Amino acid sequence: MNMSMRLLSSEFTCPTSETKQYKNLNFLLSKSSVRVSSFVNKDICNGDGRNGRNTRVSCQLTHGHLEESYRRKKRLQVLLQKPDFVRTLLIDNYDSYTYNIYQELSMINGVPPVVIQNDDWTWEELCYYLYEENAFDNIVISPGPGSPACPEDIGICLQILLECRDVPVLGVCLGHQALGYVHGAQVVHASEPVHGRLSEVEHNGCQLFHGIPSGRNSGFKVVRYHSLVIDSESLPEVLIPIAWTSTSSLPSIGSKVSDKYNGHEVQTDQSIFFDSFLPEAGNGGSNLIDYKKTRNARVLMGVKHSTRPHYGVQFHPESVATCHGSQIFKNFREITEDYWLRFRSSHNKEKRANSNAYTQVSSASRLYRDFYRSNNEEINTVDQPRKVNHGDKHLVHNNTDMNYKCLKLKWRKFDHLAGQVGGAKSIFCQLFGQEAENTFWLDSSSTDMGRARFSFMGGKGGSLWKQLTFRLSDHSDGCSKGGGFLSLEDSEGSAKTIFLEGGFLDFLNKELQSYHYDKNEYEGLPFDFHGGYVGYIGYDLKVECGATSNRHKSKTPDACFFFADNLVAIDHKNDDVYLLAIYEESSSTTEWLDDTEEKLLRLTGSTSMDLERPYSHPSTFSSHKAGFAAEQSREQYIRDVKKCLNFIKDGESYELCLTTQIRKPIEVSNSLGLYLNLRERNPAPYAAWLNFPKEDLCICCSSPERFLQLDRNEILEAKPIKGTAARGATEEEDKQLKLKLQLSEKDQAENLMIVDLLRNDLGRVCDPGSVHVPHLMDVQSYATVHTMVSTIRGKKRSDVSAVDCVKAAFPGGSMTGAPKLRSMELLDSLESCSRGIYSGCIGFFSYNQTFDLNIVIRTIVIHEGEASIGAGGAIIALSNPEEEYEEMILKTKAPASTVLDYE
């Protein structure tokens, strides 16, 4: 079949006698830009043919169209001119890239889209809002895991594509496949999965690709996340091919990602991106592309319906690395506007009111809200529709019956003191290390290249000090909201346990919002932690963030925090030391500040030297010299990697971060010495020491990865790591290994998928247009490994809290894969134990709602006489099972050897 020959003279045909009516929306969206719904529970492999044995699926449905006499006439009435905005219904197929589309459409359409998941509305409800309320101008169907042949994967989308022939629709990836499937095309396995990889695309010049170049070397490179495709040979006459690959996947991302993304310059390490592959870098000749052989191996990348305004693209225009992706969404807006303008009627000159746009915006963005307030004299008050949950059911918090606390802050600064008294190690050991119980140290032990600047430390403090220990109940899951038990101990030793029906994060959210404070009191402080909660959130709290369940129960508490009212902060850049104390307004004491200042000024550099012997060379705590035992053998881990590859092949996931644990019995009388040994062996910018003696729990963390930070300017930042290589034995070998990592298509694909995932997570809670990627795939070097690190930032929306931001992004995407919800479900089915603290986060929540949290990796957890270390790696279609096992072992090297050498 010659795809390029099947063209029509116009984009689509439609009955010109019908016109469109724009009515005022009769509902107000409370949080239209936030959506983290519970994941649809489904069988992982239910024998429906999606396990790899059955590779072809097709659909021949009866086209039972809507009754045209009433619904179409009611919907299609006059539009005199192009509107200032376009109202989109965005259907989320439980994907981890939907909110990248949301961000794009918010800027291009003039108002944010309304996001619903594919099982939120019944067909009757959708028809009500679409045809009775005339609430939307077009529909976008998101990507997603699985197949359009599976009802649980595609939800209401097939019926939309079949029945809504009078509404412009754009399907992306899974939505594109659904457009083909619903009209009888076959959806088949691609010749190879292509996730996070780029291809050049050529197109036929139709309106969806207006202004976009075409073909090889044109600059039109797109990111693909798919393992299934529409079989072009089965394409019915009613569907017209409009785009296809002009080459197979490219060997690397290219000389640049994009000139600009959402108005922000994309900064990259330009040494990463090469259009021609360098075989001397050691990446192997298998990645070289023979363009002569691939010239005719074209994959269908776009289709449109011959008579309806329905389009589909197989690639991801919303990806940060897709060129001209924004233009595609702009063109779809133009298609929508042109479609409705075809129904212009000369006898109706009524101008459409801009108040419609405001009802769409709601509280999604101050920018749009203020814009439409300034451009409309009257804003119509509208009612909320029945059974519609706009916004995020997991981000709603109830602040009724809250006991507000007025906190005061006092602080003192000591210029250039840290170096004089032996540095952070000396300060911690002298002030808090003699009796290290109930202590914390958020330790920027690696400050090279500006990776980190501040360290925070403290112990059991003043009257506000308390410890919070939370354990999920046995029945906690994403559906029943089983909650869990919170144990609280105050500074006097009084303890109580309460049941939290809403879970720990809801409790923490209410606690933080109960604090009143004066911003002027911390003016002059260069850091954002001024006192508050310090501790960790375990991986299993994913059930409070959208995951459906935990297959395994953690032995350690699921969250554990101190409320630190007294702390020491060190500015490593300027060598300054700060003492901070917070207290309730009714009390005013400087006793801790006075005592600690006196101790601090008595410290000398020689004191630090005296500490070297007991902490750096401690006596062995056991004569048992056996090594660690792994939860999974090498053979089992490799088998699980192969299972991941099968899931990826069948479209169930793009990337799966498979992990395991190694364990060893341990008797430690001085776990602080173990941590000091680890920080010396493997310094890291987001390292941490936490000691919870009541739980018989110590955490020695040397993490190089930031999960999420919110600063005082309400800027969110994530710095995911994906792509790891060992350091070389010689300078030349080290240089070659670093270059190999820079040029690795596999590692670039891993990193890109997580960058797009984090953009999505930040997009849930950030102002439209603010999410950007200032640094993409920087390669950073640490003591034992090279890593590929990216940076994603965005401006937090004013109507969401600090904890809302964490819930939108937890667990960190670099530890799950994408799409996140489906990937976590798959990983739960494979992994043999709870991850516990590993894969969670450690850090602080300041009382003024700033926070900084790491990803718990390269960490030794000592609990009830056992040391455990978690490790894993991202499995993608390009993964080699044996190499994945070796990478996992590499990541355990520094913490495991620290434990063994310490004995």
Side-chain angles (χ1 to χ4, degrees):
M1 179 182 300
N2 188 337
M3 294 186 289
S4 62
M5 296 296 293
R6 295 176 48 206
L7 306 176
L8 293 181
S9 59
S10 63
E11 285 295 304
F12 42 76
T13 59
C14 47
T16 56
S17 62
E18 295 175 317
T19 57
K20 177 183 177 182
Q21 176 189 24
Y22 280 95
K23 287 181 58 178
N24 288 342
L25 282 168
N26 75 344
F27 60 93
L28 180 63
L29 309 181
S30 61
K31 285 188 191 299
S32 65
S33 64
V34 184
R35 188 69 190 201
V36 190
S37 297
S38 298
F39 179 61
V40 175
N41 193 14
K42 57 172 281 184
D43 293 332
I44 301 301
C45 187
N46 56 12
D48 62 357
R50 292 183 295 111
N51 58 4
R53 291 188 295 271
N54 186 354
T55 62
R56 301 176 70 88
V57 292
S58 62
C59 177
Q60 298 286 351
L61 299 180
T62 303
H63 288 219
H65 298 300
L66 297 168
E67 292 184 8
E68 297 182 12
S69 58
Y70 174 72
R71 284 178 173 168
R72 289 176 62 84
K73 288 181 180 179
K74 187 173 179 62
R75 179 167 180 78
L76 304 177
Q77 290 187 7
V78 169
L79 174 61
L80 187 63
Q81 63 183 28
K82 287 188 178 182
D84 295 329
F85 48 84
V86 168
R87 305 165 303 170
T88 296
L89 177 64
L90 176 55
I91 310 293
D92 176 21
N93 287 305
Y94 289 89
D95 195 51
S96 286
Y97 300 146
T98 301
Y99 278 83
N100 296 333
I101 298 175
Y102 168 89
Q103 287 274 327
E104 288 277 5
L105 293 176
S106 296
M107 299 302 293
I108 290 167
N109 287 353
V111 287
V114 173
V115 184
I116 66 168
Q117 290 175 322
N118 63 24
D119 57 351
D120 278 346
W121 287 355
T122 65
W123 175 244
E124 291 73 20
E125 288 168 336
L126 186 140
C127 287
Y128 174 77
Y129 299 120
L130 196 62
Y131 291 98
E132 297 292 327
E133 300 299 331
N134 300 304
F136 305 106
D137 304 320
N138 62 27
I139 299 172
V140 174
I141 299 175
S142 85
S147 162
C150 177
E152 289 177 325
D153 293 340
I154 200 64
I156 203 170
C157 299
L158 293 185
Q159 202 159 5
I160 289 173
L161 291 165
L162 188 67
E163 302 285 0
C164 298
R165 60 178 180 173
D166 54 354
V167 180
V169 179
L170 174 64
V172 178
C173 199
L174 182 65
H176 158 87
Q177 295 167 11
L179 177 59
Y181 177 77
V182 79
H183 292 292
Q186 293 178 325
V187 177
V188 302
H189 280 109
S191 58
E192 63 170 337
V194 280
H195 296 115
R197 299 165 69 185
L198 276 74
S199 295
E200 292 179 316
V201 167
E202 59 182 291
H203 56 79
N204 67 355
C206 71
Q207 190 174 356
L208 190 65
F209 296 103
H210 176 72
I212 298 174
S214 176
R216 287 190 59 195
N217 302 318
S218 68
F220 186 25
K221 299 177 183 179
V222 303
V223 176
R224 298 163 61 187
Y225 293 110
H226 65 96
S227 56
L228 305 177
V229 295
I230 295 175
D231 179 13
S232 60
E233 295 301 319
S234 69
L235 206 64
E237 290 296 322
V238 75
L239 295 180
I240 301 170
I242 58 175
W244 45 90
T245 56
S246 59
T247 67
S248 62
S249 62
L250 299 171
S252 62
I253 285 182
S255 59
K256 58 183 178 179
V257 173
S258 60
D259 294 328
K260 287 187 178 181
Y261 179 74
N262 280 343
H264 300 273
E265 294 291 342
V266 179
Q267 303 296 329
T268 65
D269 180 351
Q270 292 300 315
S271 64
I272 298 174
F273 305 113
F274 293 86
D275 285 326
S276 59
F277 184 72
L278 302 180
E280 63 270 22
N283 203 26
S286 61
N287 286 331
L288 293 172
I289 293 177
D290 185 343
Y291 287 110
K292 292 181 179 178
K293 292 182 178 179
T294 62
R295 189 178 182 89
N296 297 319
R298 303 196 300 175
V299 180
L300 191 61
M301 286 287 108
V303 296
K304 72 182 183 72
H305 197 279
S306 60
T307 61
R308 304 180 187 180
H310 291 185
Y311 294 78
V313 290
Q314 178 63 76
F315 58 89
H316 283 237
E318 80 285 358
S319 173
V320 70
T322 290
C323 301
H324 307 289
S326 294
Q327 187 62 45
I328 290 173
F329 291 116
K330 291 176 184 176
N331 290 342
F332 184 58
R333 171 179 173 155
E334 289 289 327
I335 288 170
T336 300
E337 292 170 339
D338 290 347
Y339 179 79
W340 295 121
L341 280 171
R342 291 173 182 270
F343 304 107
R344 180 182 301 168
S345 173
S346 60
H347 66 270
N348 190 333
K349 305 296 183 181
E350 181 180 344
K351 186 176 180 180
R352 185 178 179 187
N354 278 348
S355 59
N356 288 346
Y358 176 74
T359 63
Q360 179 85 0
V361 175
S362 183
S363 61
S365 168
R366 291 193 308 272
L367 173 67
Y368 290 126
R369 186 167 64 243
D370 294 342
F371 172 81
Y372 283 107
R373 279 175 176 168
S374 65
N375 284 276
N376 290 274
E377 295 181 359
E378 293 185 6
I379 302 297
N380 293 339
T381 303
V382 291
D383 299 324
Q384 196 135 2
R386 54 186 173 80
K387 197 181 175 183
V388 180
N389 182 7
H390 301 287
D392 188 337
K393 67 186 75 173
H394 297 290
L395 302 189
V396 175
H397 44 271
N398 181 5
N399 290 330
T400 58
D401 302 324
M402 184 177 291
N403 295 318
Y404 288 97
K405 308 176 188 68
C406 294
L407 299 184
K408 306 292 288 182
L409 171 68
K410 289 186 177 180
W411 56 274
R412 299 173 185 176
K413 177 184 178 183
F414 303 89
D415 294 331
H416 313 302
L417 180 65
Q420 299 176 34
V421 298
K425 175 181 174 181
S426 174
I427 294 172
F428 182 83
C429 292
Q430 282 291 337
L431 296 184
F432 308 106
Q434 302 302 323
E435 295 181 4
E437 294 186 349
N438 298 305
T439 57
F440 67 88
W441 183 3
L442 304 180
D443 177 19
S444 297
S445 58
S446 173
T447 58
D448 297 342
M449 302 169 60
R451 289 171 181 155
R453 179 176 170 183
F454 304 106
S455 292
F456 305 97
M457 57 185 68
K460 193 169 183 177
S463 61
L464 295 179
W465 183 94
K466 57 185 174 183
Q467 179 178 330
L468 282 63
T469 305
F470 178 76
R471 286 181 169 84
L472 288 163
S473 72
D474 292 336
H475 303 292
S476 289
D477 58 55
C479 299
S480 67
K481 285 296 175 192
F485 296 91
L486 179 70
S487 299
L488 301 101
E489 180 184 350
D490 63 20
S491 59
E492 302 297 325
S494 176
K496 64 177 180 179
T497 299
I498 59 176
F499 183 77
L500 300 179
E501 184 176 354
F504 178 77
L505 294 176
D506 179 68
F507 172 85
L508 180 62
N509 193 37
K510 293 177 181 177
E511 282 282 296
L512 290 171
Q513 297 209 36
S514 73
Y515 298 126
H516 287 182
Y517 52 89
D518 183 354
K519 292 182 179 180
N520 294 324
E521 293 179 348
Y522 54 79
E523 288 296 326
L525 290 175
F527 45 81
D528 290 319
F529 184 36
H530 310 133
Y533 291 99
V534 182
Y536 72 84
I537 298 171
Y539 177 76
D540 287 352
L541 277 195
K542 67 182 189 290
V543 295
E544 295 187 11
C545 305
T548 54
S549 63
N550 287 310
R551 180 186 173 195
H552 309 287
K553 188 171 179 63
S554 174
K555 296 178 182 178
T556 55
D558 294 294
C560 213
F561 281 84
F562 299 120
F563 185 87
D565 52 358
N566 300 328
L567 67 129
V568 178
I570 300 171
D571 181 348
H572 297 287
K573 179 180 179 181
N574 297 326
D575 208 34
D576 300 331
V577 180
Y578 295 81
L579 303 181
L580 297 89
I582 54 176
Y583 55 93
E584 288 193 270
E585 192 172 36
S586 58
S587 63
S588 178
T589 176
T590 61
E591 182 179 354
W592 182 86
L593 290 171
D594 295 337
D595 290 347
T596 306
E597 177 179 350
E598 182 180 351
K599 293 177 183 177
L600 184 65
L601 295 177
R602 285 204 306 262
L603 296 180
T604 64
S606 60
T607 304
S608 172
M609 299 304 295
D610 293 339
L611 295 171
E612 292 293 328
R613 286 190 295 274
Y615 288 125
S616 292
H617 305 285
S619 58
T620 59
F621 40 71
S622 173
S623 59
H624 180 60
K625 301 294 289 184
F628 282 84
E631 282 283 340
Q632 292 176 303
S633 66
R634 182 181 187 277
E635 292 73 18
Q636 182 59 53
Y637 192 84
I638 289 174
R639 282 197 296 271
D640 287 344
V641 172
K642 292 178 180 178
K643 290 178 182 178
C644 290
L645 291 172
N646 285 331
F647 286 132
I648 291 168
K649 178 183 177 183
D650 290 338
E652 296 292 337
S653 178
Y654 317 140
E655 176 174 356
L656 290 163
C657 186
L658 182 68
T659 75
T660 189
Q661 304 253 342
I662 61 173
R663 306 180 188 278
K664 184 184 188 304
I666 191 172
E667 294 179 9
V668 56
S669 59
N670 183 9
S671 53
L672 177 58
L674 179 63
Y675 173 66
L676 294 174
N677 192 303
L678 177 64
R679 79 186 292 272
E680 187 173 323
R681 181 188 298 265
N682 194 50
Y686 308 108
W689 153 267
L690 294 172
N691 186 1
F692 301 100
K694 289 290 182 69
E695 306 302 324
D696 195 10
L697 174 64
C698 292
I699 303 170
C700 306
C701 175
S702 60
S703 173
E705 182 171 1
R706 168 176 281 160
F707 163 48
L708 199 61
Q709 177 195 47
L710 177 65
D711 66 19
R712 68 181 68 185
N713 298 316
E714 298 195 320
I715 299 299
L716 278 167
E717 178 182 271
K719 294 179 74 71
I721 291 177
K722 267 291 162 264
T724 304
R727 299 295 302 264
T730 66
E731 182 177 351
E732 182 60 29
E733 182 188 17
D734 194 58
K735 183 179 178 180
Q736 288 295 313
L737 289 171
K738 182 177 181 179
L739 182 59
K740 178 181 178 180
L741 177 63
Q742 287 177 315
L743 300 180
S744 166
E745 183 185 14
K746 172 187 176 294
D747 292 300
Q748 286 188 14
E750 282 184 26
N751 198 284
L752 178 59
M753 279 189 267
I754 301 306
V755 167
D756 280 342
L757 187 153
L758 265 297
R759 288 176 53 238
N760 172 87
D761 290 350
L762 267 62
R764 298 177 187 273
V765 291
C766 287
D767 285 340
S770 70
V771 179
H772 62 288
V773 183
H775 302 285
L776 182 64
M777 301 185 195
D778 289 343
V779 175
Q780 299 181 359
S781 300
Y782 293 88
T784 59
V785 296
H786 299 293
T787 61
M788 191 177 281
V789 186
S790 295
T791 303
I792 304 99
R793 294 189 186 126
K795 179 68 181 294
K796 183 184 78 69
R797 289 207 333 258
S798 61
D799 61 333
V800 297
S801 70
V803 175
D804 292 340
C805 296
V806 174
K807 292 178 75 171
F810 187 84
S814 63
M815 301 307 296
T816 63
K820 184 185 288 186
L821 294 178
R822 178 68 59 86
S823 295
M824 287 191 295
E825 186 180 66
L826 296 172
L827 292 167
D828 256 9
S829 73
L830 292 175
E831 296 178 354
S832 58
C833 64
S834 169
R835 296 188 185 184
I837 299 169
Y838 170 65
S839 296
C841 57
I842 293 172
F844 69 79
F845 289 89
S846 186
Y847 70 87
N848 58 331
Q849 292 213 47
T850 61
F851 64 80
D852 198 356
L853 303 166
N854 75 3
I855 294 284
V856 181
I857 54 177
R858 320 291 197 272
T859 297
I860 306 164
V861 176
I862 304 171
H863 182 236
E864 296 181 346
E866 181 182 71
S868 63
I869 300 168
I875 313 303
I876 67 170
L878 296 173
S879 292
N880 177 286
E882 288 76 15
E883 291 176 359
E884 290 297 336
Y885 177 79
E886 295 303 323
E887 181 179 329
M888 182 272 291
I889 293 297
L890 170 65
K891 292 172 180 176
T892 68
K893 181 178 179 181
S897 59
T898 298
V899 173
L900 295 175
D901 292 349
Y902 193 73
E903 290 185 294

